[in-house]
Amino acid sequence: MKTALVIGGGFAGCAAAHQLQLMGGWNTTVVEAAPFLGAGVRTRYCGGHPYTFGPRHFLTPWEHVYSFLNNYVPLRRCADHEFLTYIEEDSRFYGYPIHADDIPQMPESTQIQEELSAINIEAISRLTPEELAKMTRSEVAKLNKASDAKDFEEFWIYSIGKTLYNKFVNDYSRKMWQIDDNRKIDDFTWSPKGVTVKEGDRAAWDTAISAYPIAFNGYDDYFAIGTQDAKVHLSTRIERYDVPNRAVWIDGEKRAFDIIINTISPDILFDKCYGELPYVGRDLHAIVLPVEFCMPESVYFCYYAGKESFTRIVEYKKFTLHKSPTTLITLEIPSMTSRYYPMPFESEKAKAKKYFDEMPDQVFSVGRAGSYLYNVDIDDTIDHAMKVAEKLKS
Ligand SMILES: Cc1cc2nc3c(=O)[nH]c(=O)nc-3n(C[C@H](O)[C@H](O)[C@H](O)COP(=O)(O)OP(=O)(O)OC[C@H]3O[C@@H](n4cnc5c(N)ncnc54)[C@H](O)[C@@H]3O)c2cc1C
């Protein structure tokens, strides 16, 4: 049997251990610092309500990843899943992503329409009449100068104009990343929710599969299934790393492995020799309310785009369909005391790359912190584990 060490027992670590189990022939050890597997995706309970640390609904463009997880943790698709954003200066909720039908309701609608038209005129000027005739309005809007933007602020101003940017994006993004200036964000290949101004259907995700586990305990069974053949060390931290030799010290004992699958921040594996990788974290407050539901029927999240200390609230019963005369929401407050979101700065990605470059063959680094990429979600962690398995088979 070959030996594998999986560092971290979050979704990525459990998915990696599961792939090794499915391949067979691996003696797998999982080391997890917390007393449980699954990290923030593990189900917690408050007032009898199941919830996770943040929404953690399953979103994927990949049918095969959905089917894979659905085999182990049956999923229910969320059909009409909408988000709202609260704008304090208007004392109003609008759809999020920003919806074209809400613009006439905004006090600055004339200014906003002028800015959007200017963006469209600029985009149209890049087209021949024949090309233009074949395109829809939203396809034209996507041709704006945003592709030339050098930072996140320019990306949004080129996409939606200054007024909508200041209303919906500017304060929210600075709060989300705990920064004073959005021009510092120079890795913005992702954009929040992938669209700028939406038309038609108000469902937040009409191009991806959106789902949630049917079981009361959410994804938890998967963590047990994925690691059932592995030796799992909970509440355990690796004391020292010798990555070039695929060796680590656990409980004072040096152990070498044929492969290592890392899912934690790569700087930790190298004693931060190129410097610490920065993250922003979250504090989460679970609040039970004395009503059956507190948000409109199809609304699952509300974002708060202004100077409120929190970023969003989530109503969990919308996902879980759990019956109760009360409802549970969580309030998320950005904080620097935990490490959840890799910072979207090219300089930090370059620093992370130095660590990845130090990793020999047969040391894989996957998952959100393991890749040092913000836009790694639950589906990506499964995809990463599948890709490692493919490499090991080839
Ligand atoms: C608030 C929030 C909401 C989210 N909502 C969604 C969502 O709705 N949908 C979605 O698809 N994705 C969502 N995500 C992202 C998604 O949940 C994560 O990308 C995914 O769970 C990451 O899994 P991971 O295993 O890579 O990392 P983690 O979950 O961070 O797991 C890493 C594990 O490593 C352990 N660890 C850390 N250091 C050590 C150490 N030194 N030794 C041993 N173990 C260690 C940790 O305890 C943890 O268990 C959300 C993320 C957050 C933070």
Side-chain angles (χ1 to χ4, degrees), residues 148-219:
D148 305 333
K150 64 179 183 310
D151 59 51
F152 180 87
E153 180 168 296
E154 272 194 8
F155 171 84
W156 277 97
I157 291 177
Y158 288 163
S159 302
I160 61 177
K162 252 193 170 147
T163 308
L164 282 178
Y165 168 75
N166 282 328
K167 220 171 165 63
F168 285 86
V169 184
N170 189 3
D171 284 339
Y172 181 86
S173 169
R174 290 189 296 116
K175 167 167 66 179
M176 155 86 200
W177 295 108
Q178 297 284 284
I179 54 175
D180 54 3
D181 187 343
N182 286 326
R183 286 173 297 185
K184 288 184 179 164
I185 302 177
D186 55 2
D187 171 27
F188 50 95
T189 43
W190 50 275
S191 79
K193 312 304 160 230
V195 285
T196 48
V197 175
K198 200 169 191 299
E199 289 172 351
D201 188 355
R202 280 186 181 265
W205 296 98
D206 49 8
T207 53
I209 302 166
S210 167
Y212 201 80
I214 294 167
F216 191 71
N217 67 347
Y219 300 92

Side-chain angles (χ1 to χ4, degrees), residues 244-300:
N245 294 308
R246 302 191 298 269
V248 297
W249 279 256
I250 306 171
D251 294 333
E253 187 196 336
K254 183 176 181 183
R255 295 178 57 187
F257 295 84
D258 293 313
I259 67 164
I260 294 179
I261 304 179
N262 171 56
T263 72
I264 68 172
S265 190
D267 52 349
I268 297 173
L269 275 57
F270 295 94
D271 272 340
K272 302 182 182 165
C273 64
Y274 298 118
E276 183 163 352
L277 290 168
Y279 293 78
V280 68
R282 280 286 180 281
D283 292 337
L284 189 93
H285 299 272
I287 303 163
V288 180
L289 297 171
V291 283
E292 197 176 353
F293 286 99
C294 66
M295 293 212 222
E297 197 180 338
S298 51
V299 176
Y300 291 48

Side-chain angles (χ1 to χ4, degrees), residues 8 10-12 32-33 39 41 56-57 237 341 367-368 376-378:
F11 217 108
E32 166 54 52
V41 191
R56 318 281 182 154
H57 62 316
R237 272 180 196 276
Y341 298 97
R368 185 178 270 199
V376 168
D377 280 337
I378 295 170

Side-chain angles (χ1 to χ4, degrees), residues 6-15 30-41 52-60 81 211-212 219 223 233 235-238 241 262-265 268-269 280-282 284 301 312 316 319 332 339-341 366-371 373-381 384:
V6 177
I7 307 173
F11 217 108
C14 293
V30 177
V31 177
E32 166 54 52
F36 54 85
L37 294 170
V41 191
T52 47
F53 190 100
R56 318 281 182 154
H57 62 316
F58 188 69
L59 279 169
T60 188
H81 171 190
Y212 201 80
Y219 300 92
F223 309 132
H233 298 256
S235 306
T236 304
R237 272 180 196 276
I238 290 165
Y241 295 86
N262 171 56
T263 72
I264 68 172
S265 190
I268 297 173
L269 275 57
V280 68
R282 280 286 180 281
L284 189 93
F301 307 176
R312 65 179 166 189
Y316 283 81
F319 293 118
E332 292 173 43
R339 298 178 100 202
Y340 296 131
Y341 298 97
V366 298
R368 185 178 270 199
S371 318
L373 288 174
Y374 162 65
N375 55 340
V376 168
D377 280 337
I378 295 170
D379 62 329
D380 299 290
T381 67
H384 290 180

